[in-house]
Amino acid sequence: MLFQPPLPPKYAAMSQADLAESILRRKREFGSRLVILGHHYQQDEVIQFADFTGDSLKLSQIGGQQDGAEFIVFCGVHFMAESADILTDDSVTVVLPDLSAGCSMADMADIDDLEEAWEYLVDEGGQSVVPITYVNSAASIKAFCGEHGGACCTSSNAAQVLKWAYQQGDKVIFLPDQHLGRNTAFAMGIPLDKMVVYDPHERHGGLTTDQVRDAKVFLWKGHCSVHALFTPQQCHEIRAIDPKYNIIVHPECSWEVLQQADIAGSTEFIIKTVREAPVGSKWAIGTEVHLVNRLIADYPDKSIRLLAGIQCLCTTMYRVDLKHLCWCLDELADGREANPIRVAPATKKLAVIALERMLENVSPVPVAVK
Ligand code: 13P
Ligand code: SF4
């Protein structure tokens, strides 16, 4: 995780109204030179200033179209800002308002561990292996996938990318989220006994040569600490409270949770499903709490609640707040590049291959302006 130095004390002394006023003023001053992107898990106080909001896929698409801007301020987490840097040309500076806004799942896949895994799986597998990484990963992992005939995916297009991968080779290593990998492969008809978990902390991933030869999918042992909080028991409890609840969950939840849910999909899919649902319908949602609370506020004519009885908060997304947004805009206005996210050129060159394959394997999504 990167370290965010403390902000100058004046930001702690500013009220929310002063911060908001200052951000608006900066936005007006910068005009079209500045684009603020906001992931759906951001706090409302931040999302109100986003020029575009979206899930990881939509923000990658929109981010890649911002070559005319001077600055992209990415209200999200580190890997999202890296993707925006990879997908834009060098004239665009991508800024992350708080450097410590990382992603614990992305941190679970390390490039040295992947290189070691690759050597073992390719040597023992006896067939061609295609590396697929969830976009929630470091640029070095994306570059590895680009270099070795693989691709990135997001939760919106994981099925399309996996289908593409099996047209390129016989086996897939999917990282870092074992749950998205398992849920997607299972929905495509690959049986659970053809999927094995590769644990980077074990010798040879904890897999025997027979397991490696027999598997169709190697699932990296990583997970999202937020979506891991949802359980099948919560689904049973909701059904006991009221069987009319539709249970919709993000595919970063475990396979066991997805078996109990009615429907699963990415953040953007969850929003669309709830938006288009009939008035009076009931929804229990298994994803990050800020998005669920926004849906509750936006659709008072529907009964919406979090699937879990506990708060499911992405603590790293939460680090991006008005103070950090205001500070980074002030720094940019004063000619200082606050928290620029720059991927090394050699990494960028390979990572862009994986990201472009991701963007090619997606049915056209209309890009909506907020
Ligand atoms: P999506 O934005 O693809 O829905 O993923 C959710 C998430 O956890 C982002 O980190
Ligand atoms: Fe990472 Fe999970 Fe937070 Fe998304 S919700 S940024 S996957 S920790």
Side-chain angles (χ1 to χ4, degrees), residues 39 41 77 79-80 102-106 134 136 223-227 252 288 313-317:
H39 188 273
Y41 294 167
V77 288
F79 72 81
M80 298 178 181
C103 164
S104 52
M105 178 204 283
Y134 192 19
N136 300 33
H223 65 273
C224 165
S225 46
V226 181
H227 291 93
E252 287 174 16
E288 210 272 347
L313 169 86
C314 179
T315 51
T316 48
M317 288 263 184

Side-chain angles (χ1 to χ4, degrees), residues 39-41 54-59 77 79-80 103 105 134-136 153-156 180 224 226-227 250-252 265-270 287-288 291 314 317:
H39 188 273
H40 291 307
Y41 294 167
D55 65 0
S56 306
L57 178 62
K58 194 165 147 191
L59 292 178
V77 288
F79 72 81
M80 298 178 181
C103 164
M105 178 204 283
Y134 192 19
V135 74
N136 300 33
C153 71
T154 72
S155 55
S156 283
L180 179 66
C224 165
V226 181
H227 291 93
H250 196 282
E252 287 174 16
S266 74
T267 309
E268 204 66 39
F269 175 84
I270 292 173
T287 196
E288 210 272 347
L291 172 58
C314 179
M317 288 263 184

Side-chain angles (χ1 to χ4, degrees), residues 257-276:
V257 168
L258 262 78
Q259 301 321 294
Q260 299 305 322
D262 296 300
I263 183 162
S266 74
T267 309
E268 204 66 39
F269 175 84
I270 292 173
I271 296 170
K272 182 172 182 288
T273 305
V274 172
R275 184 175 60 226
E276 293 173 358

